[in-house]
Amino acid sequence: MKSPLPTELEAIREKALRAIQPLKPLDSSTEHDPKTLFLARRTNAGRDLPPYYLVYFLLVDLLGFPHAGKWEKTAWSVAVDWNGRGFLIEHRKMGLGVFAQDVERDEAAAHQLVIRIQKAVRAAQPFFEWLAGESVSRSEVNVVNNASSLYGRYEFLRDSYHAKRDEYERRKTERVVTQGTTPGGGTWTQSSFPAFHLIAESNWLAISAVEAFFAWTEHIFIHVALMTGRRSTATEVTEMAEADWSVKFQSALDLADSNAKTHYDRLVSLRKELRNYVAHGAFGKQGEAFYFHSGAGAVPVLLPHKVGSRKFKLGHGLSFDASAAFIAMEDFIAYLWSGGRAPAERYIQQSELPLILTYVHDGTYSRAMNSVEDMEEFVRHLSGEFDRAADMDW
């Protein structure tokens, strides 16, 4: 249900109407042949129109131009009059355009028509902002789903780490000897050990994988909270998006569950001791950047015996127990998609479909969450709807 236009936006309507004149809805006085107009061809000028949704909001929602609904390969069509001559503004499969009865004759007029629409769109900006705000307030929105690509980045870095570690294991005793001569006629010999570089590179990959994992979880927790009904409104989505990682975790999972609490503690440890450390320039927030002067020499301010209880220890060169970190992350992933949340993986992680908040409210997701089979059937149906909409196969 559309909200009535607020009184303060009536002035915006009038401003947009003045900007778009002399463009008006097609009427009986307009020079046009209905059959010819129906078969109108695309003009070059129409390629400069603003985005299709702004043109639709302007003409249909704000100015009230009559429009034709969906038909084969066309989402909507508005017949207009420009200085007594008929044109179509249509959103077709190949994009939005201005369509003319006689392109050669009407191209210049179409160009002027587009300029007027551009001006009117600029004048109508406050209306577009109000329209978007109204939709958000009613939670009539879709939430973008980037879970697959974010998880793909984590997988790539994780697998690259394991490949690098495997190479290290194969070459850890390898010694490369290089020989040469000096300008004075002498000789020199140099030894190097590839394992030193391989272990450093594997740690870099592991650190990047940890960062990618937490980026994925920041995204996935919002979707899990919606799919499981723990959150349901656009306002709550906004609040979760702005919240810290720990708040997102608790939006999606219940810390009263001992298993959830165990995973939470492990991941918080990893996040604080490694991910946040690296993200803040590898200085840390507890004096890790300092070595104090002493009779024993330079000693870290964060004394080694103080960090003995940490699961993910930082050290020289940002070394850490990568295997423990990956165990913590992989254990959590298995837990996240277990039990009653298993159907959510099929939708969130594998389909790339957006989260539709109206489906949270009307129980559609709740019904699909009954089983993995129910969710797979729902995903097939909804994917087909999205494909048909993209192809404009109404």
Side-chain angles (χ1 to χ4, degrees), residues 210-211 214 218 245 268-285 314:
V210 171
E211 292 183 301
F214 279 104
E218 293 260 2
W245 180 87
V268 163
S269 176
L270 176 58
R271 181 176 174 83
K272 288 182 177 179
E273 296 175 13
L274 177 68
R275 193 265 182 181
N276 284 352
Y277 178 86
V278 175
H280 291 94
F283 273 111
K285 298 181 178 180
L314 296 166

Side-chain angles (χ1 to χ4, degrees), residues 314-327:
L314 296 166
H316 298 291
L318 296 182
S319 62
F320 73 106
D321 189 345
S323 62
F326 279 110
I327 289 172

Side-chain angles (χ1 to χ4, degrees), residues 276-295:
N276 284 352
Y277 178 86
V278 175
H280 291 94
F283 273 111
K285 298 181 178 180
Q286 300 180 44
E288 294 96 331
F290 300 123
Y291 283 71
F292 68 86
H293 302 175
S294 75

Side-chain angles (χ1 to χ4, degrees), residues 68-95:
K70 301 181 180 73
W71 58 289
E72 184 64 19
K73 304 304 180 185
T74 302
W76 52 267
S77 177
V78 178
V80 298
D81 177 305
W82 176 261
N83 289 325
R85 182 77 172 160
F87 292 84
L88 288 179
I89 300 174
E90 286 189 343
H91 183 209
R92 298 181 179 177
K93 182 178 179 180
M94 300 305 292

Side-chain angles (χ1 to χ4, degrees), residues 144-172:
V144 67
N145 181 5
N146 293 321
S148 178
S149 61
L150 289 170
Y151 188 73
R153 183 163 71 102
Y154 164 71
E155 282 188 308
F156 171 78
L157 292 165
R158 179 199 63 195
D159 295 346
S160 297
Y161 160 79
H162 286 303
K164 189 69 68 173
R165 288 290 303 190
D166 290 343
E167 184 180 0
Y168 163 77
E169 290 295 332
R170 293 193 304 270
R171 303 179 65 185
K172 62 184 178 182

Side-chain angles (χ1 to χ4, degrees), residues 8-323:
E8 61 269 22
L9 287 179
E10 288 293 344
I12 299 299
R13 192 205 306 270
E14 293 301 319
K15 184 178 179 181
L17 191 58
R18 289 194 300 272
I20 209 169
Q21 289 178 352
L23 187 70
K24 64 178 185 178
L26 183 142
D27 58 30
S28 59
S29 67
T30 306
E31 178 189 346
H32 74 285
D33 178 341
K35 181 178 180 180
T36 302
L37 189 58
F38 180 79
L39 299 173
R41 293 191 295 128
R42 186 184 294 273
T43 64
N44 286 325
R47 304 182 192 283
D48 293 326
L49 282 169
Y52 70 90
Y53 48 89
L54 295 183
V55 175
Y56 180 89
F57 295 153
L58 170 72
L59 297 179
V60 177
D61 289 344
L62 182 61
L63 301 182
F65 280 43
H67 71 288
K70 301 181 180 73
W71 58 289
E72 184 64 19
K73 304 304 180 185
T74 302
W76 52 267
S77 177
V78 178
V80 298
D81 177 305
W82 176 261
N83 289 325
R85 182 77 172 160
F87 292 84
L88 288 179
I89 300 174
E90 286 189 343
H91 183 209
R92 298 181 179 177
K93 182 178 179 180
M94 300 305 292
L96 180 66
V98 175
F99 297 84
Q101 301 171 85
D102 184 338
V103 172
E104 288 72 20
R105 171 186 172 183
D106 295 330
E107 186 67 50
H111 176 69
Q112 294 302 315
L113 181 159
V114 168
I115 290 174
R116 291 295 181 180
I117 290 178
Q118 291 171 338
K119 290 181 178 179
V121 163
R122 289 194 292 271
Q125 287 301 316
F127 169 72
F128 302 145
E129 293 169 5
W130 171 81
L131 192 64
E134 284 293 298
S135 294
V136 171
S137 69
R138 295 191 299 269
S139 295
E140 295 175 351
V141 296
N142 295 349
V143 181
V144 67
N145 181 5
N146 293 321
S148 178
S149 61
L150 289 170
Y151 188 73
R153 183 163 71 102
Y154 164 71
E155 282 188 308
F156 171 78
L157 292 165
R158 179 199 63 195
D159 295 346
S160 297
Y161 160 79
H162 286 303
K164 189 69 68 173
R165 288 290 303 190
D166 290 343
E167 184 180 0
Y168 163 77
E169 290 295 332
R170 293 193 304 270
R171 303 179 65 185
K172 62 184 178 182
T173 61
E174 181 179 333
R175 177 187 178 200
V176 177
V177 178
T178 305
Q179 295 180 328
T181 58
T182 65
T187 61
W188 56 267
T189 300
Q190 178 178 306
S191 297
S192 63
F193 298 88
F196 291 137
H197 298 289
L198 292 171
I199 199 66
E201 290 169 0
S202 69
N203 277 344
W204 297 339
L205 287 167
I207 290 168
S208 295
V210 171
E211 292 183 301
F213 169 82
F214 279 104
W216 171 71
T217 58
E218 293 260 2
H219 188 81
I220 208 77
F221 288 152
I222 293 174
H223 291 269
V224 170
L226 293 171
M227 289 292 289
T228 56
R230 293 174 62 88
R231 299 292 185 274
S232 63
T233 69
T235 299
E236 289 173 321
V237 171
T238 300
E239 291 171 351
M240 283 190 289
E242 295 173 348
D244 291 337
W245 180 87
S246 61
V247 175
K248 290 187 177 76
F249 185 105
Q250 294 174 69
S251 296
L253 300 165
D254 186 359
L255 290 187
D257 179 337
S258 60
N259 289 326
K261 183 63 165 61
T262 297
H263 287 288
Y264 175 79
D265 291 341
R266 293 173 75 190
L267 293 179
V268 163
S269 176
L270 176 58
R271 181 176 174 83
K272 288 182 177 179
E273 296 175 13
L274 177 68
R275 193 265 182 181
N276 284 352
Y277 178 86
V278 175
H280 291 94
F283 273 111
K285 298 181 178 180
Q286 300 180 44
E288 294 96 331
F290 300 123
Y291 283 71
F292 68 86
H293 302 175
S294 75
V299 178
V301 168
L302 189 63
L303 296 176
H305 72 276
K306 288 283 191 180
V307 298
S309 62
R310 293 190 174 192
K311 298 180 180 64
F312 307 99
K313 300 179 182 67
L314 296 166
H316 298 291
L318 296 182
S319 62
F320 73 106
D321 189 345
S323 62

